[in-house]
Coordinates of all heavy atoms in Angstrom, one line a residue:
G8 N 0.8 -1.2 0.0 CA 0.0 0.0 0.0 C 0.8 1.3 0.0 O 2.1 1.2 -0.1
S9 N 0.1 2.4 0.2 CA 0.8 3.7 0.1 C 0.4 4.6 1.2 O -0.8 4.4 1.7 CB 0.5 4.4 -1.3 OG 0.9 3.6 -2.4
L10 N 1.2 5.5 1.6 CA 0.9 6.6 2.5 C 1.6 7.8 2.1 O 2.6 7.8 1.4 CB 1.4 6.2 3.9 CG 0.6 5.2 4.7 CD1 1.3 4.9 6.0 CD2 -0.8 5.7 5.0
R11 N 1.0 8.9 2.5 CA 1.7 10.2 2.2 C 1.8 11.0 3.5 O 0.8 11.3 4.1 CB 0.8 11.0 1.2 CG 1.4 12.4 0.8 CD 0.5 13.0 -0.3 NE 1.1 14.3 -0.8 CZ 0.6 15.5 -0.4 NH1 -0.4 15.5 0.5 NH2 1.1 16.6 -0.9
L12 N 3.1 11.2 3.8 CA 3.3 12.0 5.1 C 3.5 13.4 4.7 O 4.0 13.8 3.7 CB 4.7 11.5 5.7 CG 4.7 10.0 6.0 CD1 6.1 9.7 6.7 CD2 3.6 9.5 6.9
S13 N 3.0 14.3 5.7 CA 3.1 15.7 5.5 C 3.8 16.3 6.7 O 3.7 15.8 7.8 CB 1.7 16.3 5.4 OG 1.1 15.8 4.3
C14 N 4.5 17.4 6.5 CA 5.2 18.1 7.6 C 5.0 19.6 7.3 O 5.3 20.0 6.2 CB 6.7 17.7 7.6 SG 7.6 18.7 8.8
E15 N 4.5 20.3 8.3 CA 4.4 21.7 8.2 C 5.1 22.4 9.3 O 5.0 22.1 10.4 CB 2.9 22.1 8.2 CG 2.6 23.6 8.1 CD 1.1 23.9 8.1 OE1 0.3 23.0 8.3 OE2 0.8 25.1 8.0
G16 N 5.9 23.4 8.9 CA 6.5 24.3 9.8 C 5.7 25.4 10.3 O 5.0 26.0 9.5
T17 N 5.7 25.7 11.5 CA 5.0 26.8 12.1 C 6.0 27.7 12.8 O 7.1 27.3 13.2 CB 3.9 26.4 13.1 OG1 4.6 25.7 14.2 CG2 2.9 25.4 12.5
G18 N 5.6 29.0 12.9 CA 6.5 30.0 13.4 C 7.7 30.2 12.5 O 8.7 30.6 13.0
V19 N 7.5 30.0 11.2 CA 8.6 30.1 10.3 C 8.3 31.3 9.3 O 7.3 31.4 8.7 CB 8.7 28.9 9.4 CG1 9.8 29.0 8.4 CG2 8.9 27.7 10.3
S20 N 9.3 32.2 9.3 CA 9.2 33.4 8.4 C 10.3 33.4 7.4 O 10.6 34.4 6.8 CB 9.3 34.7 9.3 OG 10.5 34.8 10.0
F21 N 10.8 32.2 7.1 CA 11.9 32.0 6.2 C 11.7 30.6 5.5 O 10.9 29.8 5.9 CB 13.3 32.1 6.8 CG 13.4 31.2 8.1 CD1 13.7 29.8 7.9 CD2 13.2 31.7 9.3 CE1 13.8 29.0 9.0 CE2 13.3 30.9 10.4 CZ 13.5 29.5 10.3
N22 N 12.5 30.4 4.4 CA 12.5 29.1 3.8 C 13.7 28.3 4.3 O 14.8 28.7 4.3 CB 12.7 29.3 2.2 CG 11.5 30.0 1.6 OD1 10.4 29.9 2.1 ND2 11.8 30.7 0.5
F23 N 13.3 27.1 4.7 CA 14.4 26.2 5.2 C 15.3 25.9 4.0 O 14.9 25.8 2.9 CB 13.8 24.9 5.7 CG 13.0 25.0 7.0 CD1 11.6 24.8 7.0 CD2 13.6 25.3 8.1 CE1 10.9 25.0 8.2 CE2 12.9 25.5 9.3 CZ 11.6 25.3 9.3
D24 N 16.6 25.7 4.4 CA 17.6 25.3 3.3 C 17.3 23.9 2.9 O 17.3 23.6 1.7 CB 19.0 25.5 3.9 CG 19.3 26.9 4.3 OD1 18.9 27.8 3.5 OD2 19.9 27.1 5.4
T25 N 17.2 23.0 3.8 CA 17.0 21.6 3.5 C 15.9 21.0 4.4 O 15.8 21.3 5.6 CB 18.3 20.7 3.7 OG1 19.3 21.3 2.9 CG2 18.0 19.3 3.4
M26 N 15.0 20.2 3.9 CA 14.0 19.5 4.6 C 14.2 18.0 4.3 O 14.6 17.6 3.2 CB 12.6 19.9 4.3 CG 12.4 21.4 4.6 SD 10.7 22.0 4.6 CE 10.1 21.3 6.2
A27 N 13.9 17.2 5.3 CA 14.2 15.8 5.2 C 13.3 14.9 6.1 O 12.6 15.4 7.0 CB 15.7 15.5 5.6
W28 N 13.2 13.7 5.7 CA 12.5 12.7 6.5 C 13.5 11.6 7.0 O 14.3 11.1 6.3 CB 11.4 12.0 5.7 CG 10.2 12.9 5.4 CD1 10.0 13.6 4.3 CD2 9.1 13.1 6.3 NE1 8.8 14.3 4.4 CE2 8.2 14.0 5.6 CE3 8.8 12.6 7.5 CZ2 7.1 14.4 6.2 CZ3 7.6 13.1 8.1 CH2 6.7 13.9 7.4
Y29 N 13.4 11.4 8.3 CA 14.2 10.3 9.0 C 13.2 9.3 9.5 O 12.0 9.6 9.7 CB 15.1 10.9 10.1 CG 16.2 11.7 9.7 CD1 16.1 13.0 9.2 CD2 17.5 11.2 9.8 CE1 17.2 13.8 8.8 CE2 18.6 12.0 9.5 CZ 18.4 13.2 9.0 OH 19.6 14.0 8.6
R30 N 13.7 8.1 9.8 CA 12.9 7.1 10.4 C 13.7 6.3 11.4 O 14.9 6.2 11.3 CB 12.3 6.2 9.4 CG 13.3 5.3 8.6 CD 12.5 4.5 7.6 NE 13.4 3.6 6.8 CZ 13.0 3.0 5.7 NH1 11.8 3.1 5.3 NH2 13.9 2.2 5.1
Q31 N 13.0 5.8 12.4 CA 13.7 5.0 13.4 C 12.8 3.8 13.8 O 11.7 4.0 14.2 CB 14.0 5.8 14.6 CG 14.8 5.1 15.7 CD 15.4 6.0 16.7 OE1 14.8 7.1 17.0 NE2 16.4 5.6 17.4
A32 N 13.3 2.6 13.5 CA 12.5 1.4 13.9 C 13.0 1.0 15.3 O 14.1 1.3 15.7 CB 12.8 0.3 12.8
P33 N 12.2 0.2 15.9 CA 12.6 -0.3 17.3 C 13.9 -1.0 17.2 O 14.1 -1.9 16.4 CB 11.4 -1.2 17.6 CG 10.3 -0.7 16.9 CD 10.8 -0.2 15.6
G34 N 14.8 -0.7 18.1 CA 16.1 -1.3 18.2 C 17.1 -0.9 17.1 O 18.2 -1.5 17.1
K35 N 16.7 0.1 16.3 CA 17.7 0.6 15.3 C 17.9 2.0 15.5 O 17.2 2.8 16.1 CB 17.1 0.3 13.9 CG 16.9 -1.2 13.5 CD 16.5 -1.3 12.1 CE 16.4 -2.8 11.7 NZ 16.0 -3.0 10.3
Q36 N 19.0 2.5 14.8 CA 19.3 3.9 14.9 C 18.5 4.7 13.9 O 18.0 4.1 12.9 CB 20.8 4.1 14.5 CG 21.8 3.5 15.6 CD 23.2 3.8 15.2 OE1 23.6 3.9 14.0 NE2 24.0 4.1 16.2
R37 N 18.3 5.9 14.1 CA 17.6 6.8 13.2 C 18.4 7.0 11.9 O 19.6 7.2 12.0 CB 17.3 8.1 13.9 CG 16.4 9.1 13.1 CD 16.0 10.3 13.9 NE 15.3 10.0 15.1 CZ 14.8 10.9 15.9 NH1 14.9 12.2 15.6 NH2 14.2 10.5 17.0
E38 N 17.7 6.8 10.8 CA 18.4 6.9 9.5 C 17.7 8.0 8.6 O 16.5 8.2 8.7 CB 18.4 5.6 8.8 CG 17.1 5.1 8.4 CD 17.1 3.9 7.4 OE1 18.2 3.5 7.0 OE2 16.1 3.2 7.2
L39 N 18.5 8.6 7.8 CA 17.9 9.5 6.8 C 17.3 8.7 5.7 O 17.8 7.8 5.1 CB 19.1 10.3 6.2 CG 18.7 11.2 5.0 CD1 17.7 12.3 5.5 CD2 19.9 11.8 4.4
V40 N 16.0 9.0 5.4 CA 15.2 8.4 4.4 C 15.3 9.2 3.1 O 15.6 8.6 2.0 CB 13.7 8.2 4.8 CG1 12.9 7.6 3.7 CG2 13.6 7.4 6.1

């Protein structure tokens, strides 16, 4: 199946340089997706 994740910044009056998604599974380190 499929999912669509969304992320919204609040209190932001500028454009972020980089935006990213990370994930962390149980027992594992957080990784850049």
Side-chain angles (χ1 to χ4, degrees):
S9 299
L10 285 174
R11 182 172 182 262
L12 304 183
S13 299
C14 174
E15 181 179 0
T17 61
V19 180
S20 60
F21 51 83
N22 294 331
F23 292 113
D24 298 317
T25 301
M26 300 191 75
W28 288 95
Y29 288 74
R30 67 185 179 188
Q31 186 168 22
K35 294 186 177 181
Q36 294 183 327
R37 188 171 300 185
E38 68 170 349
L39 174 67
V40 178

